Amino acid sequence: MVTRKEDFSKWYLQTIQQADLMDYSPVRGCMIFKPNGYEIWEHIQDYFNSRLKEEGIRNAYFPMLIPESFFSREKEHIEGFSPELPWVTEAAGEILEERLALRPTSETMIGDAFSNWINSYRDLPYEINQWANVFRWEKRTLPFLRTSEFLWQEGHTAHIDEKSARERTMKMLGIYVEMIEELLAVPVFQGEKTPSERFAGAEQTYSVESMMQDGKAVQTGTSHYMGTKFAEAFNIKFLNQDNEHVYAHTTSWGVSTRLIGSMIMVHSDDKGLVLPPAVAPQQVVFIPVGPKKKLADVLVKIEELDRALKGIGIRTYIDDSDNSAGYKFNEWELRGAAIRIEIGPRDIEKDQVIIKARDEDEKIEVKFDELIEYVELELEKMQKRLLDKARQRNIENIYTNIETLDDLVAHIENKRQAGELPGWILAGWDGSEESEAKIKEITGFTTRNIPFDSYFEGENALPHKSKCIVTGKPAVATVWLARAY
Amino acid sequence: MVTRKEDFSKWYLQTIQQADLMDYSPVRGCMIFKPNGYEIWEHIQDYFNSRLKEEGIRNAYFPMLIPESFFSREKEHIEGFSPELPWVTEAAGEILEERLALRPTSETMIGDAFSNWINSYRDLPYEINQWANVFRWEKRTLPFLRTSEFLWQEGHTAHIDEKSARERTMKMLGIYVEMIEELLAVPVFQGEKTPSERFAGAEQTYSVESMMQDGKAVQTGTSHYMGTKFAEAFNIKFLNQDNEHVYAHTTSWGVSTRLIGSMIMVHSDDKGLVLPPAVAPQQVVFIPVGPKKKLADVLVKIEELDRALKGIGIRTYIDDSDNSAGYKFNEWELRGAAIRIEIGPRDIEKDQVIIKARDEDEKIEVKFDELIEYVELELEKMQKRLLDKARQRNIENIYTNIETLDDLVAHIENKRQAGELPGWILAGWDGSEESEAKIKEITGFTTRNIPFDSYFEGENALPHKSKCIVTGKPAVATVWLARAY
């Protein structure tokens, strides 16, 4: 078993396989989501669907195949996506007249539909969401984080004006913040993407970014304000209250199954998977301990306790397999069961169980009649502990006092020699693509996002940087720099 | 507005469009599921997921693209599906070494995975389900019922022996019966498919078939016993209790978004969509009536009643748009709202509302304090009425006394002249493909399925037919014949 420190990438691959979350497939870059992996996605879907319902946004489903001519209508969009598209060229024994792309995202298909459905200001806002598989033929792939086929939700909305569209863009980013922090216990950094990192065709892209245990960043969600670009490309016009035909303002926003990979990279440890209880397929695992001939009574008790926990909606599992208790302890640490409950004959005599939370070392004795309350509370506490621990790690790994590229290079080298993480760097940026390219070339770091103004206010305010880390010219923005997945 | 009697196909297309369930797309044979259409699918998913949970079957997700070499491993499978496959031949600017099919079904991909995951009898049964988009490039398409891309669930299981696999096959068919009859209020005919109508590669295929209002049949669900065919093709072997390596017995079973189309063809009428309350996106629609200046008070009351109904989980909608009440009545009949509640100023004086169920002509006055109870009960009653009505129609349109192909031809012609449906015919069959082909050639009817033995027993027993309707030879089975979608 390789540790995080020895080889983080290898540790990650080992962790997700031993936890039985996924498997590789015979198709390059496409993975299999096994039930334990897919269930995490189902919990994300349930949470997000309930948030959509509050917003009055309904689900729909659009065709996966997109005609080539559709992509060409928005110039930046086709340029951005064409290097990664798979194409259907034949069907039912015939060559197609026009190639069909496997969707990398559905702005074009949905833009065309919107142009048919939206006629008057009374039709707006028009807001829908889609859960779908999408394709981006990536050169280097990594399970969950970057795969040729992945699962996501994509929301698409059209509005009467910029204000209303911008409100939706920011509202959805805020919902992502809450979902990723509350459900996945992964803290995020909110901000605006620099122009070179924008979604292909967007006026503005906002992102939430999260720090992994190796200090690298993952873009965990994005929300885009499109202005009228897609409306112009797909002719999404409506009659406004002044009886004029004008273009709608559109947005789109999405999170994908890469959330699963990031969550694992944030919480898991050298013993295996650690999952926030809110999404753990097994919140409680019962393991009978003691001599085999006495286990029948123990199992009767376990089944009684199991029914009680299931009764209040806790996801439980009884491991009554033939393996030894020690083997099972190890197995369920690998698989990230949130709480392990051990019971043996002597515990039954004492009306108690032994409880161990996956992220704590201590074992606790809990009386039968306090069990339900204890488990409920401990799951909540564990959810919070994981978020707090990740927040603390973030604080320890951000650097706000690096002023030049030379300093950054030295910082990275010092950290490397100390066996520590280079972390994230808050830096001034002169607004040029050349400076971004230079940073990447020299250090491998990229601009993650431009923190919102609120990060520069109040108690733990980040400092505004006045000079560009590359050119020393006046900074137009203060940005996060980090290596990224 | 065309009626069912005038032109059933045209009526169907008009009904689904005016109910805002779907739209066409620029890709041949691929449709858009609009929110009202997609929500029906979500209710089907919720129901089926809860049944899967009871069975201990979990969801997973497998790659959509299937290498050509995979299909070739099971000879009947590739022969059955290859005429309908779309192929990805290029990706990211390069020609692929091997073509990748867009999955028409996932036996091959999942068979390959099973061969890696299943080693011992302890691993069995291995049972999973997948919700996915699938592709069959059909020549003639019809929204919901036959589209190039559609949504479905496909369950795949592997078992230690034939008995266990057959039990799963029949259990899932039984769950489909309950789902389609209870949730969609569509009665089904259960039976076994004839060899020529089997799933490509199956040992046996069982189906549920339903009768539409035009007398045609839709295969609404199938469950297949594969024997060891796919296990042999994909090397799904395990070590049994006698320490021998033997092949697993596998099954698969599925229902698709064609369920939505069939349900519509069974229940809807010349005024528009009729949906069983269990899946109706709008179970109750409130429509304020009366002079505009008095509507403010009415709306206050409506909101109060709306909260009460929502509080017990009823899906409600308040239509407070500027349209006239008459326009709204018509609109919500087109859209299949299960119950319409009208309230005007005079109703408020009388502490009452006016209620109309979508499938009944009568309007009922109901007091405020009886509303919740009334609505709950009426939704249940409507659900049952729709099923009963469809069952009655089935009874009226099955014919069990036609003994020869000449009689069948005469029957069809008589019905045509009377403006009545030819319906379904129970016929003897000598077991030959030639006879099936002959029936189809002469009448357009096809064998739907061979009813299970239980249909020939008890009070409403069907008669066993002793002679083949085509050849007059001894019948090896009694089959349903019908025209089909």
Side-chain angles (χ1 to χ4, degrees):
Chain A
M1 292 282 295
V2 67
T3 65
R4 287 162 292 177
K5 199 128 199 184
E6 286 164 5
D7 186 335
F8 193 81
S9 299
K10 212 165 164 180
W11 164 83
Y12 171 70
L13 294 176
Q14 159 192 291
T15 299
I16 57 177
Q17 276 210 291
Q18 294 196 325
D20 204 33
L21 298 183
M22 56 75 62
D23 202 354
Y24 297 96
S25 90
V27 182
R28 202 180 67 64
C30 293
M31 63 175 279
I32 298 169
F33 293 79
K34 293 183 81 172
N36 279 328
Y38 192 77
E39 184 175 328
I40 296 169
W41 186 237
E42 291 181 305
H43 292 305
I44 292 171
Q45 290 186 306
D46 286 347
Y47 178 100
F48 194 68
N49 273 333
S50 76
R51 298 303 300 263
L52 287 174
K53 204 166 179 183
E54 288 168 15
E55 296 296 311
I57 298 175
R58 297 174 72 192
N59 290 320
Y61 186 78
F62 292 81
M64 193 199 68
L65 296 172
I66 302 182
E68 186 165 16
S69 57
F70 267 46
F71 275 99
S72 319
R73 290 212 216 158
E74 214 299 322
K75 191 170 157 289
E76 291 172 23
H77 193 66
I78 179 84
E79 281 172 9
F81 283 106
S82 69
E84 298 177 351
L85 295 178
W87 294 99
V88 172
T89 60
E90 311 167 13
E94 287 178 17
I95 305 293
L96 299 179
E97 282 179 28
E98 179 178 15
R99 295 194 299 176
L100 303 170
L102 274 54
R103 68 179 154 223
T105 179
S106 302
E107 276 75 12
T108 55
M109 181 59 78
I110 294 178
D112 181 62
F114 276 10
S115 75
N116 296 322
W117 300 343
I118 295 168
N119 298 302
S120 147
Y121 68 92
R122 287 190 194 86
D123 301 325
L124 299 176
Y126 201 103
E127 307 189 300
I128 49 134
N129 180 65
Q130 161 170 281
W131 295 95
N133 55 342
V134 281
F135 292 81
R136 298 182 188 175
W137 219 250
E138 305 272 4
K139 284 213 174 60
R140 295 181 56 194
T141 61
L142 188 59
F144 293 115
L145 280 178
R146 199 169 47 250
T147 48
S148 300
E149 177 184 19
F150 57 96
L151 305 177
W152 80 346
Q153 64 65 221
E154 50 179 321
H156 297 268
T157 67
H159 303 262
I160 52 164
D161 59 16
E162 176 170 349
K163 180 167 171 288
S164 159
R166 284 193 178 278
E167 276 169 10
R168 173 52 69 202
T169 308
M170 301 317 290
K171 183 78 188 274
M172 295 318 295
L173 193 75
I175 289 176
Y176 289 152
V177 172
E178 289 168 25
M179 176 167 78
I180 298 169
E181 297 197 333
E182 286 170 14
L183 189 77
L184 307 182
V186 170
V188 299
F189 295 79
Q190 304 178 58
E192 185 185 341
K193 285 291 202 185
T194 65
S196 67
E197 297 274 337
R198 260 180 214 148
F199 178 82
E203 284 278 349
Q204 261 162 315
T205 288
Y206 302 92
S207 75
V208 285
E209 310 263 341
S210 302
M211 190 193 291
M212 306 296 106
Q213 286 183 72
D214 63 350
K216 285 169 82 171
V218 172
Q219 177 179 293
T220 34
T222 49
S223 188
H224 317 289
Y225 169 61
M226 303 299 192
T228 58
K229 281 192 189 180
F230 280 89
E232 287 171 39
F234 289 89
N235 201 32
I236 311 173
K237 272 187 167 176
F238 66 98
L239 204 62
N240 69 12
Q241 299 209 42
D242 300 326
N243 238 9
E244 300 158 338
H245 278 96
V246 295
Y247 287 115
H249 292 249
T250 67
T251 84
S252 74
W253 24 274
V255 296
S256 76
T257 38
R258 81 183 328 218
L259 281 178
I260 300 171
S262 346
M263 180 186 67
I264 293 164
M265 283 193 176
V266 168
H267 301 307
S268 298
D269 63 23
D270 294 340
K271 287 182 288 186
L273 196 65
V274 176
L275 293 176
V279 299
Q282 296 84 25
Q283 293 177 316
V284 168
V285 168
F286 286 98
I287 300 179
V289 295
K292 203 161 183 179
K293 58 185 178 183
K294 291 193 177 173
L295 287 187
D297 287 350
V298 170
L299 277 169
V300 168
K301 189 69 196 175
I302 284 180
E303 273 159 25
E304 178 196 325
L305 299 173
D306 181 67
R307 270 194 302 277
L309 290 177
K310 275 203 169 72
I312 58 162
I314 291 175
R315 296 186 290 274
T316 62
Y317 185 82
I318 301 172
D319 187 349
D320 57 359
S321 64
D322 289 339
N323 300 314
S324 72
Y327 179 94
K328 291 177 188 176
F329 293 171
N330 183 54
E331 181 78 3
W332 290 105
E333 280 179 345
L334 284 173
R335 286 167 175 253
I339 286 178
R340 172 174 101 208
I341 301 184
E342 310 166 20
I343 316 184
R346 252 175 276 170
D347 297 311
I348 291 185
E349 281 164 23
K350 293 200 270 177
D351 281 338
Q352 69 172 26
V353 300
I354 310 291
I355 287 194
K356 190 186 166 303
R358 175 63 181 81
D359 64 325
E360 301 257 270
D361 292 326
E362 213 181 346
K363 288 185 174 190
I364 312 281
E365 295 175 353
V366 177
K367 292 291 173 195
F368 288 154
D369 57 8
E370 290 163 5
L371 182 66
I372 289 193
E373 210 177 336
Y374 185 90
V375 165
E376 250 188 323
L377 189 63
E378 184 60 23
L379 292 173
E380 275 174 39
K381 282 158 73 181
M382 177 174 172
Q383 184 80 23
K384 193 169 172 311
R385 279 198 303 272
L386 294 182
L387 179 61
D388 290 344
K389 196 173 166 190
R391 283 213 168 112
Q392 188 55 37
R393 187 188 312 123
N394 286 354
I395 291 169
E396 289 163 12
N397 289 288
I398 62 176
Y399 298 91
T400 61
N401 57 350
I402 294 174
E403 306 297 340
T404 68
L405 209 46
D406 285 346
D407 286 354
L408 177 54
V409 170
H411 164 82
I412 293 170
E413 179 57 18
N414 290 342
K415 287 292 175 187
R416 195 185 63 78
Q417 292 196 3
E420 290 169 6
L421 305 179
W424 290 22
I425 314 299
L426 194 71
W429 170 57
D430 65 9
S432 74
E433 267 191 50
E434 292 71 24
S435 293
E436 285 182 286
K438 188 79 183 263
I439 297 166
K440 188 170 183 184
E441 184 199 328
I442 307 277
T443 65
F445 279 48
T446 51
T447 53
R448 301 321 307 154
N449 63 25
I450 303 166
F452 290 146
D453 289 345
S454 57
Y455 283 98
F456 300 95
E457 292 159 9
E459 210 180 340
N460 299 304
L462 296 173
H464 270 295
K465 312 300 277 184
S466 58
K467 285 186 188 170
C468 176
I469 191 171
V470 179
T471 59
K473 288 184 195 165
V476 302
T478 303
V479 299
W480 283 118
L481 302 178
R483 290 195 181 119
Y485 280 99
Chain B
M1 291 284 296
V2 65
T3 64
R4 288 162 291 175
K5 197 126 197 183
E6 285 164 7
D7 187 335
F8 193 80
S9 299
K10 212 165 167 182
W11 163 84
Y12 171 71
L13 295 175
Q14 158 191 291
T15 299
I16 57 177
Q17 277 209 293
Q18 294 196 327
D20 204 31
L21 299 184
M22 57 73 63
D23 202 355
Y24 297 95
S25 91
V27 182
R28 202 182 65 66
C30 293
M31 63 174 279
I32 298 169
F33 293 78
K34 295 183 80 172
N36 279 329
Y38 192 76
E39 184 175 326
I40 296 169
W41 186 237
E42 292 181 306
H43 293 306
I44 293 171
Q45 290 186 306
D46 286 346
Y47 178 99
F48 194 67
N49 273 332
S50 76
R51 297 303 301 261
L52 286 175
K53 205 168 178 181
E54 288 168 11
E55 297 296 311
I57 299 176
R58 297 175 72 194
N59 290 320
Y61 186 78
F62 292 81
M64 192 198 69
L65 297 171
I66 301 182
E68 185 166 16
S69 57
F70 267 46
F71 275 99
S72 318
R73 290 212 217 158
E74 215 298 321
K75 189 170 158 289
E76 290 172 24
H77 194 67
I78 180 84
E79 279 173 9
F81 282 107
S82 69
E84 298 178 351
L85 295 179
W87 294 99
V88 172
T89 60
E90 310 167 14
E94 288 178 17
I95 304 293
L96 299 179
E97 282 179 27
E98 180 179 14
R99 297 195 298 177
L100 302 170
L102 275 53
R103 67 178 155 224
T105 179
S106 301
E107 277 74 10
T108 56
M109 180 60 81
I110 294 178
D112 181 61
F114 276 10
S115 75
N116 296 322
W117 299 344
I118 294 168
N119 299 302
S120 147
Y121 70 91
R122 287 191 195 84
D123 300 325
L124 299 177
Y126 201 103
E127 307 190 300
I128 49 135
N129 180 65
Q130 162 171 281
W131 295 95
N133 54 342
V134 280
F135 292 81
R136 299 182 188 175
W137 218 250
E138 305 271 5
K139 285 214 174 60
R140 297 179 56 193
T141 61
L142 188 60
F144 293 115
L145 281 178
R146 200 169 45 249
T147 50
S148 300
E149 178 185 18
F150 58 95
L151 304 177
W152 81 347
Q153 62 66 221
E154 49 179 320
H156 297 267
T157 68
H159 303 262
I160 52 164
D161 58 18
E162 176 170 348
K163 180 167 171 288
S164 160
R166 284 192 178 278
E167 275 169 12
R168 174 52 70 203
T169 308
M170 299 319 290
K171 184 78 188 272
M172 296 318 297
L173 193 76
I175 289 175
Y176 289 153
V177 172
E178 288 168 27
M179 176 168 79
I180 298 169
E181 298 198 333
E182 287 170 14
L183 189 78
L184 307 182
V186 171
V188 300
F189 295 78
Q190 305 177 57
E192 185 185 341
K193 284 292 202 184
T194 64
S196 67
E197 297 274 336
R198 262 181 212 147
F199 179 82
E203 283 279 347
Q204 261 161 314
T205 288
Y206 301 93
S207 76
V208 284
E209 311 264 341
S210 302
M211 189 193 291
M212 306 295 106
Q213 287 183 73
D214 63 351
K216 284 170 85 170
V218 172
Q219 176 180 294
T220 34
T222 49
S223 188
H224 317 290
Y225 169 60
M226 304 298 190
T228 57
K229 281 192 190 180
F230 280 89
E232 287 169 37
F234 288 90
N235 201 32
I236 311 172
K237 272 187 167 177
F238 66 98
L239 204 61
N240 70 11
Q241 298 209 42
D242 301 326
N243 238 9
E244 300 157 337
H245 278 95
V246 295
Y247 288 116
H249 292 248
T250 67
T251 83
S252 75
W253 23 274
V255 296
S256 76
T257 38
R258 80 184 330 217
L259 281 178
I260 300 171
S262 345
M263 180 187 66
I264 294 164
M265 282 192 175
V266 167
H267 300 306
S268 298
D269 63 24
D270 295 341
K271 288 182 288 186
L273 196 65
V274 177
L275 292 177
V279 298
Q282 295 86 25
Q283 293 177 315
V284 167
V285 167
F286 287 97
I287 300 179
V289 295
K292 204 163 183 177
K293 58 183 179 186
K294 292 194 177 174
L295 287 188
D297 288 349
V298 171
L299 277 170
V300 169
K301 188 69 198 175
I302 283 180
E303 273 159 26
E304 179 196 325
L305 299 173
D306 182 66
R307 271 194 303 278
L309 289 178
K310 274 201 170 71
I312 57 162
I314 291 175
R315 297 186 290 273
T316 63
Y317 185 82
I318 301 172
D319 188 348
D320 57 358
S321 64
D322 289 340
N323 300 315
S324 71
Y327 179 94
K328 291 178 189 177
F329 294 170
N330 184 51
E331 180 77 3
W332 290 107
E333 280 179 344
L334 285 174
R335 287 167 174 253
I339 286 178
R340 172 174 103 207
I341 301 184
E342 311 167 20
I343 317 185
R346 252 176 276 169
D347 297 310
I348 291 185
E349 283 164 21
K350 295 199 269 177
D351 282 338
Q352 69 172 29
V353 301
I354 310 290
I355 287 195
K356 189 184 166 306
R358 174 63 181 81
D359 64 323
E360 301 257 90
D361 292 328
E362 212 181 346
K363 287 186 177 191
I364 312 280
E365 295 175 354
V366 177
K367 292 291 172 197
F368 288 154
D369 57 7
E370 291 163 5
L371 182 66
I372 289 194
E373 209 177 336
Y374 185 89
V375 166
E376 249 188 324
L377 189 63
E378 184 60 22
L379 291 173
E380 274 173 41
K381 281 158 74 179
M382 178 174 173
Q383 184 80 24
K384 191 169 174 313
R385 279 200 303 272
L386 293 181
L387 180 60
D388 290 344
K389 196 172 165 189
R391 283 213 168 114
Q392 187 56 38
R393 186 189 312 121
N394 286 353
I395 291 169
E396 289 163 10
N397 288 287
I398 62 176
Y399 298 90
T400 61
N401 56 351
I402 294 175
E403 306 298 340
T404 68
L405 209 47
D406 285 348
D407 286 354
L408 177 53
V409 170
H411 163 83
I412 294 170
E413 179 56 20
N414 290 342
K415 288 292 174 185
R416 196 186 63 78
Q417 292 197 4
E420 291 169 7
L421 305 180
W424 291 22
I425 312 301
L426 194 71
W429 170 56
D430 64 9
S432 74
E433 269 191 49
E434 292 71 25
S435 293
E436 285 182 286
K438 190 80 184 267
I439 296 166
K440 188 171 183 184
E441 185 200 327
I442 306 277
T443 65
F445 279 47
T446 52
T447 53
R448 300 321 306 151
N449 63 24
I450 303 166
F452 290 148
D453 289 345
S454 57
Y455 282 97
F456 300 95
E457 293 158 9
E459 209 179 340
N460 298 304
L462 296 174
H464 269 295
K465 310 301 273 187
S466 57
K467 286 187 188 171
C468 175
I469 191 172
V470 181
T471 59
K473 288 184 196 165
V476 302
T478 303
V479 298
W480 283 119
L481 300 178
R483 291 198 180 117
Y485 281 98

